[in-house]
Amino acid sequence: MLIRPLVRRLAAYVPGEQPRVKGLIKLNTNENPYPPAPRVLQAVRAAVDGRLRLYPSPTAGRLRERLARFHGCRAENIIIGNGSDELLALAVRALVEPAAGDPDGARDGRSVVQLFHPSYSLYPVLAAIHGARVNRVPLAADYSLPGVAALRRGGQWQFDAALTLVTTPNAPTGRGYATADLRTLCRAQKGVMLLDEAYADFAEENALRLALTLPRVLVARTFSKAYSLCFQRVGYLVGHRALIAALDKIRDSYNVNGLGQIAAEASLAHAAYYRANFRRIITTRRWLAAALGRLGFEALPSQTNFILARPPGPPARDWLEALRARKILVRWFDAEPVRDYLRITVGTPAEALALVQAVRAILAEPRRRG
Ligand SMILES: *Cc1c(COP(=O)(O)O)cnc(C)c1O
């Protein structure tokens, strides 16, 4: 066999569909419904010429300086990645011992990637690729963050796990976690805590200051969702310079493409444009949650740009197909405990209205009654 057993056995991550269907309303991968700021598009266009033959900055130096100013820290507290997904993988590789060849692994947390369930479904895949162990601990029944005392009582949580990955606000539930609660958990943890804040800009609070005050905490951010730059693949981590330096050692030399660096830098210069978009999305989110509620959906409270909602009547999977037939694409996860739910990205007001009208039409179909 040419392929390593670990790779042969591996169940790869399944990203959301990216169909190119005309007129499709795409509410399945939490993309921002608004385009990047006009000046950001200009900056990218202005950079597309003969200079594409040159390598970009290997350290993304200017972008790191600007982010440092934005967050009130130093460039050495920041590492940029090809999307935050790359940085999650780097964190696993730099901080977690593969389980093979680690005979004490069963007794301590050196080879453990710890995560709450449900959370971002990429995490266990990254652990599996690395040959690390996964400790998957259920969230509380209402998907809130279990407290330290409850985790101790439960007996499953490992306070010595090498790396704990927490999506906050959480995906796919949309729930926000209080920074005070996260701080308590971070302080109780002996290994590294990585707080994945992909949706923080749509939330009431964020935990970035924990990465600047606690030496074992990393915060991940991305330009994908809030800054409408999924296509460009730029994310970053903030944290203690010793942790950042460790990840920096093992990354590819030119991991962040040049146009992505330019787009991200320009985005930071137009914060007001993006803040207005965050407010619009939050307003649409409230409207959509209320409208779905009136139609019999049970919508979980969301601090993100999506809503996890349990549809009435037929199984969620049938709703996925019924909406797809009406050219509206949402996300359904074939996994407990979210199998009964749809994850719906908050689009523009017009897209949200189209979704609500499609739901009404589906509910009115005779075969779906009762
Ligand atoms: C979208 C998402 C990411 C990945 O972001 P990229 O920067 O596009 O790689 C990471 N974490 C969570 C929870 C996400 O939803």
Side-chain angles (χ1 to χ4, degrees):
M1 269 307 219
L2 300 173
I3 315 290
R4 289 174 62 205
L6 179 150
V7 177
R8 269 187 268 145
R9 281 196 307 269
L10 188 73
Y13 179 70
V14 183
E17 296 170 69
Q18 301 296 344
R20 295 277 175 261
V21 175
K22 231 185 138 220
L24 182 76
I25 296 182
K26 198 173 170 304
L27 304 176
N28 69 327
T29 49
N30 300 342
E31 287 140 327
N32 196 308
Y34 302 108
R39 294 287 182 81
V40 171
L41 297 177
Q42 263 174 32
V44 172
R45 272 195 214 103
V48 177
D49 59 25
R51 287 170 295 174
L52 289 186
R53 72 190 176 80
L54 300 171
Y55 279 107
S57 163
T59 57
R62 268 208 337 231
L63 177 55
R64 283 170 52 238
E65 289 291 344
R66 295 210 175 163
L67 280 168
R69 230 174 298 147
F70 193 69
H71 289 306
C73 60
R74 304 174 62 124
E76 65 196 20
N77 298 117
I78 292 175
I79 179 170
I80 318 283
N82 182 35
S84 53
D85 282 354
E86 182 197 21
L87 298 166
L88 299 173
L90 285 181
V92 171
R93 282 162 54 199
L95 306 173
V96 186
E97 206 59 60
D102 178 19
D104 294 329
R107 269 170 280 145
D108 69 36
R110 274 179 291 177
S111 61
V112 171
V113 173
Q114 182 161 250
L115 45 98
F116 286 111
H117 184 74
S119 66
Y120 188 26
S121 54
L122 176 67
Y123 305 152
V125 180
L126 296 177
I129 290 170
H130 188 58
R133 296 166 213 278
V134 174
N135 189 30
R136 201 176 89 147
V137 179
L139 288 166
D142 62 353
Y143 302 123
S144 62
L145 189 73
V148 169
L151 290 172
R152 280 198 208 288
R153 271 198 311 278
Q156 195 197 335
W157 186 261
Q158 284 185 259
F159 288 92
D160 66 347
L163 178 63
T164 301
L165 300 166
V166 181
T167 321
T168 174
N170 197 15
T173 66
R175 258 205 112 100
Y177 302 143
T179 303
D181 296 342
L182 289 168
R183 179 190 287 111
T184 306
L185 183 55
C186 287
R187 295 180 69 137
Q189 205 60 27
K190 293 187 191 72
V192 172
M193 288 277 286
L194 191 156
L195 308 177
D196 182 350
E197 292 200 325
Y199 300 101
D201 293 295
F202 307 107
E204 278 158 17
E205 56 176 326
N206 69 70
L208 194 104
R209 62 187 176 278
L210 300 186
L212 299 176
T213 50
L214 301 175
R216 293 191 291 260
V217 177
L218 293 168
V219 165
R221 292 281 181 93
T222 174
F223 283 89
S224 291
K225 312 298 181 10
Y227 292 88
S228 306
L229 283 180
C230 291
F231 198 76
Q232 294 277 22
R233 315 297 307 125
V234 186
Y236 59 97
L237 288 180
V238 182
H240 192 281
R241 62 191 165 89
L243 289 179
I244 296 296
L247 270 66
D248 198 52
K249 247 180 169 172
I250 63 165
R251 71 174 171 82
D252 290 342
S253 314
Y254 301 101
N255 63 326
V256 190
N257 81 82
L259 295 177
Q261 293 185 34
I262 285 168
E265 277 172 48
S267 303
L268 292 174
H270 297 90
Y273 171 90
Y274 293 99
R275 275 199 302 271
N277 285 349
F278 305 156
R279 283 195 296 270
R280 286 202 270 179
I281 289 166
I282 290 166
T283 302
T284 310
R285 179 181 77 203
R286 291 203 188 106
W287 178 86
L288 181 59
L292 289 173
R294 284 192 292 273
L295 292 170
F297 282 63
E298 183 211 314
L300 266 55
S302 170
Q303 292 279 300
T304 62
N305 68 341
F306 59 85
I307 294 172
L308 191 71
R310 191 207 306 259
R317 185 186 193 155
D318 294 2
W319 277 94
L320 173 78
E321 295 310 328
L323 288 166
R324 191 199 300 271
R326 290 167 187 273
K327 285 200 160 182
I328 298 179
L329 191 56
V330 299
R331 190 94 185 259
W332 171 70
F333 295 94
D334 188 9
E336 288 304 333
V338 292
R339 187 175 280 123
D340 296 338
Y341 293 81
L342 297 174
R343 196 195 67 187
I344 305 166
T345 304
V346 176
T348 61
E351 289 172 330
L353 180 62
L355 172 80
V356 166
Q357 284 169 341
V359 166
R360 265 202 214 108
I362 292 165
L363 285 170
E365 285 170 11
R367 64 193 168 78
R368 292 188 180 273
R369 284 220 194 92

